Amino acid sequence: MSTNQPALGAAAESGDDDGAGAPDARQLRTILIAVSVALMAVIASVSGLNVAQTHLAVEFDASQDTILWVINIYTLALAALLLPLGAIGDRIGRKPMLIAGLVVFGAASALAGLAPSAEIMIAARVLCGIGAAMIMPITLAVITSTFPEGERGKAIGVWTGVAGGGGILGMFLSALLVDVASWRWLFALPIALTVVALAMTMRSVPNSREHTGHSFDTVGALTSVVAVSGLIFTLQEGPERGWSAPVTLLALAVGLAASLTFVVWELRRRDASLLDVRLFRERRLLSGSVTLLVVFGVQAGIAVVLFPFLQAVLGWSGLQSTLALMPMAVLMMMAAVVAPKLASSIGARSTMVTGIGLGGAGLAVMALFVSVDGGYLSVLPGMLAMGFGMGLAMTPSTEAITASLPQERQGVASALNDVTREFGTALGVAMIGALLSAGYRSAIDDQLDGIPDGAADTAREGIANAVEAAGSAGSDKEALLHAAQQSFVDGWQQAMWVGAAVTGATFLYVLARGPENQVPAPVKGEEATTAETVAS
């Protein structure tokens, strides 16, 4: 495709119902703003309720397990339904699917904000997850099927920046709303974003869809839902219930069995499949997926470590702690926007490798210099390096995934991109959280000599428990706090070194098997630019 021809032409071939022709630069900006606002609503709702766990428990007189379900059921429903709903959007039209998703999401958010009980809240969060699964893959599919080739990378960079940094921005705004109003106002943000996105979508976003002679892959859709549900449930509940708990093992077995069934079935369906798994032989798709899995896993795991460090070790409020993450989020979003330009100069693989390398270096810097006395400044340089590096890696990885599937299957391509992100997030939280907990317990056992048994037993459960126990420890308060804080830092270092090792392995893999570097050839006279492959 020429860089002077809009990608909407490809969309029209697969069924552009609006028939309005190629959008101009102003329309493209409006489309990008519309889908970015819709994406922000979805992303902000992933982490927003984390800042209100205590308020929810008091309001509904609910257990911690119930509150975790209120928070996690949204992500579970979102991840499980991404692939089938992305595929349905390709068939019925991306614009009507996006509009329907925004309506469902907005209504469910309003219901959650008014929920009189935990049960109603959980049901509302399930509906929010369904609406989000209708929205998220379509936002990226609209970009890839609408923007011309020369502008697509920049647009994907903006989308990636919102997806990467939007969660932290959403947490900050949520913490601010909880502090100045109440937890119920948390839902005002996604509702407002949804209303804006809906108005802009109805007015500006073009429609496109797939025309195919194949029937919908119902078996593939159902097995994908079971597979993703089982595996995400395992990663979410394993740390809470125990990795050897019967329900955890059952969910893992069901998830693995459904995954195997999905792969076998999709191989049989071949070109009529929901997701042609043979495409994973292509280095672009596989390396892009691996990179996103690791990047989002590390990012989510860092949040697991940083929040208790800022709150329990440094004694900061939830709002202050969230604000402390903003520099990392801002750099991540900036790097995601810059990444397409860098990729056009040095190639996608080189950009991905640079980003992964910077991210790994940031993890190592945090592991080396974090300390109780050093406080926030001991981790800030590593946070900045990690944020910028991860932002650089996200955009070319996302573009590698979407470019691997045909234009008419961009809903599925976008859904695959999103499922990979959700898996990475759940895996990172589970892995780094478990490493932190194990390192903390191992370190604190050697520092509780002289502490009363009751307070010592409480402190072993976690740093938040230790801070609570210190309040009634009398003369042992300072010794207990110091032991807990130092043990947390020891656990932090262990988790960060493992994260750095995983990132290093990903660096080597992408260096060897990443997408080929495509950079523009020199322009001669008025001839259009072409691409040449840089020697590996």
Side-chain angles (χ1 to χ4, degrees), residues 118-201:
E119 291 76 16
I120 298 297
M121 173 64 85
I122 290 173
R125 292 284 285 174
V126 171
L127 289 175
C128 281
I130 295 171
M134 299 167 73
I135 296 168
M136 194 172 182
I138 300 303
T139 57
L140 183 55
V142 166
I143 290 174
T144 56
S145 63
T146 302
F147 278 72
E149 186 176 348
E151 299 293 326
R152 196 178 308 148
K154 297 177 185 178
I156 290 177
V158 172
W159 186 96
T160 304
V162 173
I168 296 175
L169 179 60
M171 287 188 69
F172 170 71
L173 294 174
S174 298
L176 181 63
L177 286 170
V178 169
D179 275 12
V180 302
S182 83
W183 69 266
R184 293 189 182 274
W185 282 95
L186 289 175
F187 298 97
L189 175 62
I191 291 172
L193 291 172
T194 300
V195 171
V196 172
L198 182 60
M200 296 184 72
T201 297

Side-chain angles (χ1 to χ4, degrees), residues 41-188:
V42 170
I43 297 297
S45 295
V46 172
S47 54
L49 279 184
N50 283 322
V51 302
Q53 292 188 44
T54 303
H55 302 272
L56 291 169
V58 172
E59 177 79 16
F60 296 133
D61 190 23
S63 67
Q64 181 63 22
D65 283 346
T66 300
I67 299 306
L68 287 175
W69 267 110
V70 170
I71 294 170
N72 291 337
I73 196 67
Y74 172 81
T75 307
L76 183 63
L78 167 62
L81 294 171
L82 279 168
L83 273 177
L85 291 180
I88 291 173
D90 283 336
R91 284 173 171 260
I92 69 172
R94 293 169 185 130
K95 182 173 183 175
M97 177 62 90
L98 181 55
I99 291 173
L102 289 167
V103 170
V104 171
F105 184 83
S109 297
L111 176 61
L114 299 171
S117 67
E119 291 76 16
I120 298 297
M121 173 64 85
I122 290 173
R125 292 284 285 174
V126 171
L127 289 175
C128 281
I130 295 171
M134 299 167 73
I135 296 168
M136 194 172 182
I138 300 303
T139 57
L140 183 55
V142 166
I143 290 174
T144 56
S145 63
T146 302
F147 278 72
E149 186 176 348
E151 299 293 326
R152 196 178 308 148
K154 297 177 185 178
I156 290 177
V158 172
W159 186 96
T160 304
V162 173
I168 296 175
L169 179 60
M171 287 188 69
F172 170 71
L173 294 174
S174 298
L176 181 63
L177 286 170
V178 169
D179 275 12
V180 302
S182 83
W183 69 266
R184 293 189 182 274
W185 282 95
L186 289 175
F187 298 97

Side-chain angles (χ1 to χ4, degrees), residues 157-518:
V158 172
W159 186 96
T160 304
V162 173
I168 296 175
L169 179 60
M171 287 188 69
F172 170 71
L173 294 174
S174 298
L176 181 63
L177 286 170
V178 169
D179 275 12
V180 302
S182 83
W183 69 266
R184 293 189 182 274
W185 282 95
L186 289 175
F187 298 97
L189 175 62
I191 291 172
L193 291 172
T194 300
V195 171
V196 172
L198 182 60
M200 296 184 72
T201 297
M202 294 181 70
R203 180 176 180 178
S204 303
V205 173
N207 191 24
S208 59
R209 58 177 176 150
E210 168 195 2
H211 289 299
T212 177
H214 303 298
S215 60
F216 183 72
D217 185 6
T218 304
V219 174
L222 292 176
T223 52
S224 74
V225 170
V226 175
V228 175
S229 298
L231 295 176
I232 293 289
F233 180 90
T234 300
L235 293 171
Q236 287 181 343
E237 298 297 311
E240 299 296 327
R241 300 173 182 263
W243 295 104
S244 59
V247 66
T248 305
L249 294 176
L250 178 61
L252 178 60
V254 170
L256 291 175
S259 298
L260 180 60
T261 303
F262 175 79
V263 171
V264 172
W265 176 260
E266 297 304 278
L267 287 173
R268 287 183 56 190
R269 291 271 298 187
R270 299 179 72 83
D271 294 336
S273 61
L274 181 74
L275 173 64
D276 189 350
V277 295
R278 296 172 298 171
L279 290 173
F280 281 97
R281 299 169 184 165
E282 186 178 346
R283 58 196 296 173
R284 284 186 305 174
L285 182 59
L286 186 56
S287 62
S289 299
V290 169
T291 301
L292 283 185
L293 187 77
V294 172
V295 165
F296 274 83
V298 169
Q299 178 190 337
I302 289 300
V304 169
V305 176
L306 277 173
F307 267 99
F309 175 76
L310 296 170
Q311 292 180 297
V313 176
L314 303 187
W316 292 8
S317 68
L319 183 59
Q320 288 175 310
S321 300
T322 310
L323 183 61
L325 298 182
M326 290 301 292
M328 181 174 69
V330 170
L331 268 184
M332 186 182 300
M333 297 174 77
M334 290 173 58
V337 175
V338 168
K341 186 174 182 180
L342 183 62
S344 69
S345 299
I346 65 174
R349 179 172 54 184
S350 297
T351 304
M352 289 166 66
V353 166
T354 301
I356 295 167
L358 279 174
L363 289 170
V365 167
M366 282 192 281
L368 283 170
F369 295 107
V370 62
S371 68
V372 177
D373 295 335
Y376 180 58
L377 292 180
S378 69
V379 299
L380 181 60
M383 287 171 55
L384 296 178
M386 197 198 77
F388 193 79
M390 298 305 184
L392 281 183
M394 286 177 186
T395 301
S397 301
T398 296
E399 197 164 7
I401 293 174
T402 56
S404 299
L405 272 74
Q407 198 79 2
E408 69 273 9
R409 305 297 299 277
Q410 285 302 297
V412 174
S414 305
L416 176 61
N417 174 80
D418 299 335
V419 169
T420 303
R421 292 166 181 264
E422 296 301 327
F423 263 122
T425 298
L427 185 60
V429 169
M431 184 183 76
I432 294 182
L435 288 169
L436 174 63
S437 297
Y440 171 85
R441 286 192 298 269
S442 176
I444 202 169
D445 280 339
D446 298 329
Q447 301 190 47
L448 293 174
D449 293 340
I451 304 296
D453 290 344
D457 290 340
T458 301
R460 288 187 181 93
E461 295 177 12
I463 190 168
N465 305 83
V467 172
E468 183 178 351
S472 57
S475 60
D476 296 311
K477 175 180 179 179
E478 293 301 322
L480 181 57
L481 280 177
H482 177 75
Q485 291 170 344
Q486 188 57 52
S487 298
F488 182 89
V489 168
D490 291 343
W492 167 307
Q493 290 174 316
Q494 176 178 310
M496 290 301 96
W497 282 123
V498 172
V502 172
T503 305
T506 307
F507 174 90
L508 295 176
Y509 168 73
V510 175
L511 186 63
R513 296 293 302 164
E516 293 182 342
N517 282 327
Q518 298 283 338

